[in-house]
């Protein structure tokens, strides 16, 4: 039996190496090491082809809100597959799954966001959002308003536009990006503020200083040329950057003052992650346009959406001409059926309130108890079921390791080998468990991470 699974694993590894190119991967290095084959999942657990059980502290890629193996979502998908496996929305047609999902989203989204367009990934949603922003300003007779602002360390996806919008600089040189018409402003990353030359400003002072960099950039480029500012309410893949409370109200004021559309990328923060349905509600942001994906279907189907606030909806939906945009799979009936059932399950299980009132605070408290005093840990930060543990060379000083990523990767490898999935972003360990995780599962995640951080500290001479 053991030999059998071993042979099967080798077989799949060889086929994968021979035929499959992985995202964000050094193919030659991965093939030399051999890929890990995930064969099944249930609740917060994954199993690999060697029978190892792994606890998923990342909800896949920040997306499996209801956990794996939810039979209701599977049934909803099966039903749609047999009733209406495909039809489109191009020929003056719609279908009940898409219609019901759009209407349901309108009840959950921030006030005034009554209309949605569907796409298939977060990148496509962001691409769509930028096109709609351009179209809006063209309709308004302000075609010179073209520049899209976003932030350093932002992750918005990989299409030409979404990658251009992203502020993680390694995403650009291979593809000659960013495209013209994109500019960046600093992220409200208080832990990195000293290293970035902001001195010892308090988080609230720093939040204002960084917001004013947005104003400076708008003035430098000319408000007449700036179309939009795109931002994740909490920056995810850039290292879980939670803005100081002073930040968002000031950004909102600045966008309003210079007539810059505010685009919220809720791909990670949507669907309960921060303890409200949307991160915009947690941070009292009033965006003109929102992108969402991931938790919309708990990752069970590829689906994303863009919602329009009143100002954009008024203009775009009353243009009295064809809007020349849409995908073959926009509002795919199977994806919509699964997403709709996913939202119903999140609602029925009260998962959003659970993140806000019980399991979120529990995770945050346990992480602080486990790591606040740890010699290798500079900061524990989080909101809802998003958490980050910053590993640092000198406790008490907001400073980074000279060789960025080495310690984090070391720790991440210990997590993997002990059966925990956590991500290392530079030297920050991040967690985003499913919204269904129980206290004992959270405890297992915290204990496994503690062991990995202890062993890392030992290896780097810090204990
Ligand atoms: N916006 C945000 C905020 C995201 O986090 C996207 C857009 C793009 O979505 P798609 O569906 O096109 O991948 C994302 C995706 C990581 C990681 O390692 C994060 C994402 C994707 C892949 C890896 O943290 N986020």
């Amino acid at each position: 039996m053991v030999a059998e699974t071993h042979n099967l694993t080798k077989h799949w590894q060889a086929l994968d190496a021979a035929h499959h190119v992985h995202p964000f991967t050094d193919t030659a290095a991965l093939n030399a090491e051999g890929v890990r084959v995930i064969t099944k999942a249930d609740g917060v657990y994954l199993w690999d082809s060697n029978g190892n059980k792994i606890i998923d502290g990342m909800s896949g890629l920040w997306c499996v809100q209801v956990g794996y193996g939810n039979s209701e979502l599977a049934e909803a998908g099966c039903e749609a597959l047999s009733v209406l496996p495909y039809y489109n929305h191009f020929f003056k047609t719609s279908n009940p799954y898409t219609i019901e999902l759009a209407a349901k989203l309108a009840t959950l989204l921030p006030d005034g966001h009554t209309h949605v367009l569907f796409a298939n990934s977060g990148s496509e949603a962001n691409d769509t959002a930028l096109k709609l922003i351009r179209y809006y300003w063209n309709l308004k007779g302000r075609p010179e308003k073209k520049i899209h602002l976003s932030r350093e360390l932002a992750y918005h996806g990989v299409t030409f536009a979404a990658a251009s919008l992203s502020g993680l600089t390694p995403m650009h040189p291979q593809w000659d990006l960013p495209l013209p018409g994109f500019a960046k402003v600093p992220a409200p990353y208080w832990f990195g503020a000293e290293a970035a030359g902001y001195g010892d400003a308090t988080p609230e002072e720093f939040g204002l200083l960084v917001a004013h960099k947005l104003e400076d950039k708008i003035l430098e480029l000319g408000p007449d040329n700036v179309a939009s500012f795109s931002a994740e309410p909490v920056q995810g893949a850039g290292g879980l950057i939670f803005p100081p409370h002073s930040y968002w109200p000031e950004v909102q004021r600045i966008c309003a003052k210079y007539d810059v559309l505010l685009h919220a990328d809720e791909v990670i923060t949507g669907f309960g992650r921060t303890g409200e349905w949307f991160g915009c509600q947690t941070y009292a942001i009033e965006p003109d346009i929102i992108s969402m994906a991931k938790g919309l279907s708990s990752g069970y189907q590829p689906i994303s959406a863009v919602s329009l606030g009143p100002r954009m909806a008024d203009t775009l939906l009353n243009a009295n001409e064809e809007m020349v945009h849409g995908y073959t799979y926009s509002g795919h009936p199977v994806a919509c059926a699964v997403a709709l059932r996913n939202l119903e399950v999140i609602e029925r299980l009260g998962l959003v309130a659970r993140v806000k009132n019980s399991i979120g605070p529990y995770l945050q408290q346990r992480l602080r108890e486990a790591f606040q005093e740890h010699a290798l840990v500079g900061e524990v930060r989080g909101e809802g079921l998003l958490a980050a543990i910053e590993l640092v060379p000198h406790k008490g000083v907001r400073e980074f390791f000279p060789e960025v990523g080495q310690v984090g990767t070391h720790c991440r490898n210990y997590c993997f080998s002990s059966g925990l999935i956590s991500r290392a972003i530079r030297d920050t360990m991040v967690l985003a468990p499913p919204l269904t995780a129980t206290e004992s599962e959270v405890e297992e995640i915290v204990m496994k991470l503690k062991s990995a951080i202890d062993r890392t500290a030992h290896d780097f001479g810090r204990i």
Side-chain angles (χ1 to χ4, degrees):
M1 183 66 190
V2 171
E4 222 170 80
T5 55
H6 182 73
N7 288 340
L8 208 45
T9 299
K10 288 273 174 232
H11 167 72
W12 281 326
Q13 285 175 329
L15 282 183
D16 191 80
H19 302 294
H20 180 209
V21 180
H22 288 243
F24 283 81
T25 295
D26 173 340
T27 300
L30 176 67
N31 291 347
E33 187 185 333
V35 75
R36 170 146 65 167
V37 183
I38 303 297
T39 48
K40 65 171 187 174
D42 191 30
V44 300
Y45 293 98
L46 304 164
W47 282 264
D48 71 16
S49 55
N50 290 325
N52 295 309
K53 185 177 177 187
I54 305 154
I55 190 161
D56 186 0
M58 284 306 299
S59 305
L61 277 176
W62 325 76
C63 56
V64 186
Q65 315 301 74
V66 300
Y68 300 98
N70 186 294
S71 55
E72 287 192 69
L73 271 64
E75 281 155 19
C78 279
E79 186 203 299
L81 273 169
S82 42
V83 174
L84 185 68
Y86 176 73
Y87 204 66
N88 66 72
H89 305 271
F90 283 55
F91 306 140
K92 302 184 181 175
T93 46
S94 198
N95 71 70
Y97 304 111
T98 314
I99 295 167
E100 297 285 350
L101 178 61
K104 181 75 192 170
L105 280 170
T107 69
L108 303 173
L109 281 159
D111 285 348
H113 284 248
T114 51
H115 288 77
V116 294
L117 294 81
F118 289 110
N120 312 289
S121 67
S123 302
E124 280 183 8
N126 283 331
D127 225 81
T128 299
L130 294 198
K131 286 179 77 177
L132 295 175
I133 287 164
R134 284 197 163 203
Y135 184 31
Y136 172 86
W137 287 121
N138 287 342
L139 284 169
K140 284 287 184 193
R142 314 236 0 228
E144 71 289 353
K145 259 175 124 44
K146 281 281 183 295
I147 299 173
H148 299 291
L149 296 178
S150 57
R151 298 180 296 189
E152 292 161 5
L153 301 175
Y155 187 79
H156 295 293
V158 295
T159 58
F160 271 107
S164 296
L165 204 56
S166 296
L168 287 162
T169 48
M171 293 178 65
H172 294 149
Q174 290 173 348
W175 328 99
D176 303 324
L177 294 175
L179 296 173
F182 289 83
K184 301 289 175 290
V185 295
Y189 183 23
W190 182 73
F191 196 83
E194 241 175 275
Y198 287 89
D200 59 359
T202 64
E204 300 316 313
E205 288 165 352
F206 174 68
L208 292 178
L209 284 172
V210 173
H212 293 150
K213 297 282 181 193
L214 171 65
E215 185 160 30
D216 294 348
K217 184 58 90 179
I218 293 170
L219 291 171
E220 176 197 320
L221 297 167
D224 287 343
N225 302 317
V226 178
S228 59
F229 175 57
S230 297
E232 305 150 78
V234 174
Q235 283 176 254
L240 276 186
I241 299 168
F242 300 89
H245 292 293
S246 56
Y247 178 77
W248 272 114
E250 191 63 3
V251 165
Q252 187 86 49
R253 184 192 68 76
I254 292 164
C255 288
K257 179 169 177 191
Y258 299 104
D259 212 6
V260 167
L261 291 172
L262 182 53
H263 166 216
D265 180 342
E266 292 262 17
V267 169
I268 284 181
T269 48
F271 306 101
R273 214 10 100 193
T274 67
E276 301 286 347
W277 276 96
F278 292 92
C280 285
Q281 292 152 339
T282 302
Y283 289 93
I285 308 164
E286 291 179 11
D288 294 296
I289 183 164
I290 300 176
S291 332
M292 64 207 88
K294 296 190 189 277
L296 169 57
S297 67
S298 282
Y300 280 47
Q301 285 286 293
I303 181 167
S304 64
V306 174
S307 72
L308 301 174
R311 176 179 177 189
M312 290 192 70
D314 266 4
T315 302
L316 298 179
L317 307 181
N318 296 306
N320 295 316
E321 61 178 13
E322 179 182 334
M323 187 183 73
V324 189
H325 177 80
Y327 305 96
T328 302
Y329 300 132
S330 298
H332 191 288
V334 179
C336 287
V338 172
L340 182 61
R341 189 65 57 86
N342 173 58
L343 300 183
E344 287 164 4
V345 168
I346 293 177
E347 216 166 28
R348 180 156 30 81
L349 299 182
L351 294 183
V352 180
R354 187 169 185 270
V355 173
K356 183 175 185 158
N357 302 322
S358 56
I359 199 67
Y362 182 78
L363 172 72
Q364 303 299 338
Q365 182 202 328
R366 288 295 299 119
L367 289 175
R368 277 156 188 78
E369 286 165 4
F371 296 115
Q372 201 107 290
E373 306 304 324
H374 198 287
L376 194 60
V377 174
E379 185 180 61
V380 180
R381 55 178 184 265
E383 181 86 54
L385 280 182
L386 288 172
I389 292 122
E390 190 96 45
L391 307 181
V392 292
H394 306 293
K395 192 163 182 72
V397 184
R398 283 180 288 147
E399 223 176 73
F400 301 118
F401 286 101
E403 196 182 322
V404 175
Q406 185 196 21
V407 174
T409 304
H410 197 85
C411 183
R412 196 270 320 273
N413 292 343
Y414 273 136
C415 291
F416 275 25
S417 63
S418 70
L420 165 67
I421 303 232
S422 166
R423 286 261 280 105
I425 301 175
R426 297 180 297 279
D427 293 302
T428 303
M429 304 309 298
V430 303
L431 291 172
L435 278 45
T436 48
T438 63
E439 285 195 3
S440 69
E441 288 161 348
V442 164
E443 193 59 27
E444 183 182 341
I445 291 170
V446 173
M447 284 299 110
K448 286 200 156 139
L449 185 58
K450 171 95 169 59
S451 155
I453 291 182
D454 284 347
R455 290 162 81 186
T456 305
H458 176 266
D459 294 350
F460 285 85
R462 298 291 303 288
I463 286 184

